[in-house]
Amino acid sequence: MTTAALQTVLTVPERFRGPAAVANGGWIAGTMADALNGHRSAVEVTLHAPTPLDTEVRLEHVANTVTLTDGDKLLVEAFPVAEDLEAPDFVPFTDAARAEAGFPGWHGHAFPECFVCGLREPGDGLRIFPGPVEGTGLVAAGWRVPFTVADEDGVPASIVGAALDCVTGWAHFAPGESALLGRLAVQIHRRVYPGGTYSVVGEATGRDGRKLFGRSAIYENDGALVASARATWIAPR
C-alpha cells in the first residue's frame, strides 16, 4: 500500500533572502513547520542545500514528513518531534533593546542583506540585531514587528521562524564571523501581531568541531513565551 503525496509549488521571494541569492533558513523552517502541522507542535527542519530565490521548487507532504525539492535535488526535510523545546531565559524588552548597541554586526556583517539581521530599511527587513545582555550568557534584541510582514491572517509562521533563526548564530559570532544554518527545530505557542514589540533572545549551548549549537525564544512584554527554537549551524572550514 502506498501513501498519497500532497504536492504544491513554492517560490521564495527575493525579499526573504539570508545569504545572497538563497532563502533565509529560518523563513524556510517556519514555512515547513506550517505546511507540516500548522505549527501545533515542534517541527525539526533540516536544510540539506540552499533554497534558491524566485524559483519554483516542489513542496511535498507524505505522511509525517514534508520535503522541498528542486528537480531531483533534496533541499529541505521536516518532521514533527515529540518534545517541548527548551527556551533561554526571558529578557525584558527594554533590556533586549539596550543590548542591540553591542550587536557584532555593526562592526562586520558577513550577510548585510539578510532579511532578519541585515542592515535593511525599516519595514523591509526584520532588523533584529542581537547583542550581549549584561550579566548573562544571553544575546537579545527588541523586535518591533513591521506591518509589512503581515498577511490577511496576521504574521505568518515563516516570519516567526525567521525571527528565531539568526539570533542563535549571533550567540556565537564575533564581528565578521558567520556560519550556515543546518537545522532548526521550531515550536510556536502564540500568535505574533504586527506592530507589536517582543524580546528575541538567544543562547549558545555548545560546539562540536564545525557545528555550533544554540537556542532562541520570542517573548511578549509580560514574559509569556511566544515561540522557541533549537539550532545547529555549520561553520566554514
Side-chain angles (χ1 to χ4, degrees):
M1 184 173 70
T2 60
T3 301
L6 300 176
Q7 296 186 14
T8 188
V9 171
L10 174 70
T11 301
V12 183
E14 195 267 345
R15 178 188 182 190
F16 301 122
R17 61 195 180 273
V22 300
N24 173 265
W27 191 95
I28 290 292
T31 297
M32 299 293 279
D34 193 44
L36 183 61
N37 68 0
H39 53 76
R40 290 186 296 273
S41 62
V43 173
E44 185 165 277
V45 180
T46 300
L47 307 172
H48 294 280
T51 299
L53 300 168
D54 293 328
T55 302
E56 288 191 352
V57 293
R58 187 174 72 251
L59 191 151
E60 187 171 31
H61 191 167
V62 181
N64 286 328
T65 302
V66 174
T67 59
L68 204 61
T69 55
D70 185 7
D72 294 331
K73 184 178 184 180
L74 176 63
L75 303 175
V76 184
E77 187 175 22
F79 55 88
V81 289
E83 63 177 292
D84 286 326
L85 301 181
E86 188 174 351
D89 291 341
F90 170 61
V91 174
F93 180 82
T94 52
D95 294 338
R98 189 178 300 116
E100 294 171 21
F103 175 50
W106 297 131
H107 307 289
H109 200 312
F111 307 121
E113 286 297 305
C114 176
F115 171 67
V116 179
C117 65
L119 310 179
R120 303 267 289 268
E121 291 297 318
D124 180 24
L126 297 186
R127 297 177 60 85
I128 296 174
F129 304 133
V133 180
E134 186 175 356
T136 74
L138 306 173
V139 296
W143 183 25
R144 304 151 186 87
V145 184
F147 285 92
T148 54
V149 299
D151 57 25
E152 62 273 12
D153 298 318
V155 176
S158 58
I159 301 300
V160 178
L164 289 164
D165 171 9
C166 299
V167 64
T168 60
W170 287 110
H172 289 273
F173 302 155
E177 291 184 340
S178 68
L180 294 178
L181 185 68
R183 180 173 291 133
L184 190 71
V186 174
Q187 186 173 21
I188 301 175
H189 302 279
R190 298 166 179 257
R191 292 185 62 184
V192 170
Y193 293 93
T197 54
Y198 298 84
S199 296
V200 178
V201 186
E203 182 177 27
T205 57
R207 180 168 188 158
D208 182 10
R210 293 171 56 218
K211 293 183 178 180
L212 312 176
F213 305 104
R215 59 190 177 201
S216 60
I218 301 169
Y219 285 101
E220 293 182 348
N221 291 339
D222 62 0
L225 180 64
V226 174
S228 53
R230 180 182 64 230
T232 301
W233 292 76
I234 310 298
R237 294 184 185 278

